[in-house]
Amino acid sequence: MKSIMLPYEDGALEAVEAGEGVELSGTLYVGRDQVHKRLCGLIEAGSPLPFDFHGNGIYYMGPSPAPPGFPLGAAGPTTSMRMDPFSPLLIENGLRLMIGKGPRSEEVRMAIGRHKGLYLQAYGGCGALYSSCVRKAEVIAYPELGPEALLRLEIENFPAFCMIDSKGNLYNG
């Protein structure tokens, strides 16, 4: 299992191959389709983004409310394909690390390979496991979106596996 500290160093993603396990620690951003749509709008307008894509990743998560004493409720992955209409533009503008569940389009796979990115799959049905990896959660943009707001998480030992590596190879196992 490879360990990646977020924000990651240049070249860290290229060390991971399709099918390998990965464990993430550090700062991870959370955004779903509504956040992706807004990020694309900012890029198209030439406006600043709410976080720097360089060295950072985005997790497609379906959060639940935090119980007392916890930073977040269940933190399981949501379907990545819903982000596919927006992902190529975000990848072209510096987003390299994406985490979710399920397959990606051929266009996204090719963009990941072209820009040396990485698509990691989180384990579906493991929302409680992922929640236990979250040390801190805060909304950094779009609070009006409620559970779809852009979040910044501090995570530790967050497990995933590589579905698409930096060469565009797809894990088929």
Side-chain angles (χ1 to χ4, degrees):
M1 177 155 318
K2 298 245 167 80
S3 292
I4 297 177
M5 181 58 114
L6 301 172
Y8 59 85
E9 299 286 328
D10 288 342
L13 303 184
E14 294 172 42
V16 179
E17 295 182 18
E20 281 191 299
V22 178
E23 195 171 73
L24 304 169
S25 295
T27 302
L28 180 63
Y29 294 87
V30 173
R32 292 168 30 180
D33 42 335
Q34 291 302 310
V35 166
H36 279 62
K37 182 178 181 179
R38 290 184 184 201
L39 293 174
C40 286
L42 291 173
I43 289 168
E44 290 165 352
S47 299
L49 297 171
F51 73 99
D52 185 4
F53 287 167
H54 183 78
N56 289 304
I58 195 160
Y59 177 36
Y60 312 143
M61 179 182 80
S64 65
F70 292 89
L72 198 61
T78 195
T79 305
S80 300
M81 194 174 287
R82 291 195 341 250
M83 276 46 81
D84 284 3
F86 312 107
S87 294
L89 179 63
L90 300 181
I91 294 166
E92 289 169 19
N93 283 276
L95 183 64
R96 300 289 182 263
L97 177 62
M98 295 146 282
I99 306 150
K101 72 175 180 183
R104 304 306 301 264
S105 69
E106 183 65 13
E107 183 181 10
V108 170
R109 185 187 68 77
M110 292 179 70
I112 289 169
R114 202 169 36 254
H115 295 282
K116 300 189 183 318
L118 211 59
Y119 170 55
L120 302 179
Q121 186 150 323
Y123 303 98
C126 293
L129 168 69
Y130 287 114
S131 180
S132 75
C133 299
V134 177
R135 303 295 172 251
K136 182 179 178 185
E138 63 183 319
V139 174
I140 64 162
Y142 317 125
E144 67 279 9
L145 294 177
E148 288 207 31
L150 179 61
L151 304 176
R152 179 175 36 234
L153 305 180
E154 294 301 323
I155 59 168
E156 189 175 325
N157 304 324
F158 183 102
F161 65 95
C162 181
M163 287 300 294
I164 303 172
D165 68 20
S166 64
K167 298 168 200 71
N169 296 320
L170 176 65
Y171 176 67
N172 288 316

